[in-house]
Amino acid sequence: GQQVMQIPQYQHVQEGEDFTTYCNSSTTLSNIQWYKQRPGGHPVFLIQLVKSGEVKKQKRLTFQFGEAKKNSSLHITATQTTDVGTYFCAPNTGTASKLTFGTGTRLQVTL
Amino acid sequence: DAGVIQSPRHEVTEMGQEVTLRCKPISGHNSLFWYRQTMMRGLELLIYFNNNVPIDDSGMPEDRFSAKMPNASFSTLKIQPSEPRDSAVYFCASSSGQGAADTQYFGPGTRLTVL
């Protein structure tokens, strides 16, 4: 079955530093979604990537889909305290009947 | 527009008691999902419905768990009897697509504590 590894599990940065989380699948993906969950909150959809090599930006967030469509990354430039939370990837193989959420990367940002 | 609504937001119960969690999906959405989140196991899909019909319940832990969707605007997740290991945050989510791979909108969750 599909295996999804998300790394790192946890990262603590100083405000202003950059942050990257990676999502790696053992199988080729049809698309991948990213979600953010603030502490005590619920997952909120950020973006969906579909095309090989696709890059999408949302302000300071850059999302990338690998050329082989087996991995993806989320990069945050100049983190702010509002970026605190857990970032989940949710890859889809196109054949599964359900999303499989990655284990998440918990980001802590301090001043 | 109202998002996904869940009730109760918090539930504390004793082992052996029946627990019923409720969800109202976003109006017009035809897929509904129940998830459980714990530190140990992360975010797990328990069951999902499409057009009120259960499509995939392979994530339901055991017979103590059951879910229903009597109409397009309401679903329940029942645990009977509850056990301490059921303590978790239970999320309901809905989407407007046909499959589980569509964008999902999560409710605020129900934090369940079983003593």
Side-chain angles (χ1 to χ4, degrees):
Chain A
Q2 178 185 339
Q3 294 182 340
V4 179
M5 285 189 62
Q6 199 170 343
I7 54 174
Q9 285 189 315
Y10 171 76
Q11 187 152 9
H12 182 181
V13 300
Q14 298 288 319
E15 189 176 48
E17 293 181 335
D18 292 355
F19 159 77
T20 304
T21 174
Y22 300 90
C23 183
N24 300 308
S25 171
S26 57
T27 57
T28 301
L29 304 173
S30 172
N31 56 66
I32 189 166
Q33 298 178 22
W34 285 91
Y35 290 76
K36 175 185 178 181
Q37 184 178 19
R38 294 182 186 275
H42 57 277
V44 174
F45 173 78
L46 293 176
I47 208 158
Q48 176 167 275
L49 304 172
V50 178
K51 299 177 183 177
S52 168
E54 187 171 16
V55 178
K56 287 188 176 180
K57 293 190 176 184
Q58 289 180 351
K59 297 182 179 178
R60 294 178 294 103
L61 277 60
T62 301
F63 303 83
Q64 190 162 0
F65 204 5
E67 292 290 343
K69 299 184 74 173
K70 285 188 175 183
N71 54 68
S72 180
S73 65
L74 158 58
H75 179 82
I76 302 178
T77 303
T79 55
Q80 299 176 358
T81 54
T82 53
D83 296 324
V84 165
T86 301
Y87 293 85
F88 293 96
C89 66
N92 173 39
T93 61
T95 57
S97 63
K98 58 188 178 185
L99 278 180
T100 300
F101 281 82
T103 50
T105 296
R106 188 160 71 92
L107 172 65
Q108 179 64 34
V109 181
T110 52
L111 296 172
Chain B
D1 289 339
V4 175
I5 299 172
Q6 290 187 248
S7 64
R9 294 293 305 276
H10 302 272
E11 176 82 27
V12 180
T13 191
E14 292 187 345
M15 182 174 63
Q17 296 298 306
E18 178 180 294
V19 174
T20 299
L21 310 181
R22 296 172 176 79
C23 176
K24 175 178 170 56
I26 293 172
S27 178
H29 282 190
N30 58 5
S31 293
L32 181 141
F33 312 86
W34 282 102
Y35 289 88
R36 178 173 67 177
Q37 186 174 41
T38 61
M39 288 293 293
M40 292 296 295
R41 301 176 67 90
L43 195 59
E44 306 172 274
L45 177 67
L46 301 177
I47 185 171
Y48 97 87
F49 297 84
N50 183 253
N51 293 324
N52 312 338
V53 176
I55 302 299
D56 185 345
D57 65 355
S58 59
M60 294 287 262
E62 48 196 271
D63 292 345
R64 297 184 297 108
F65 286 68
S66 63
K68 292 182 180 180
M69 192 165 185
N71 57 63
S73 59
F74 183 65
S75 177
T76 59
L77 177 67
K78 186 175 294 186
I79 308 173
Q80 166 63 20
S82 58
E83 296 182 3
R85 61 190 167 127
D86 300 330
S87 297
V89 180
Y90 290 81
F91 289 105
C92 175
S94 69
S95 75
S96 60
Q98 294 295 318
D102 298 293
T103 302
Q104 297 184 18
Y105 298 84
F106 284 75
T110 295
R111 182 174 295 277
L112 173 64
T113 302
V114 183
L115 304 175

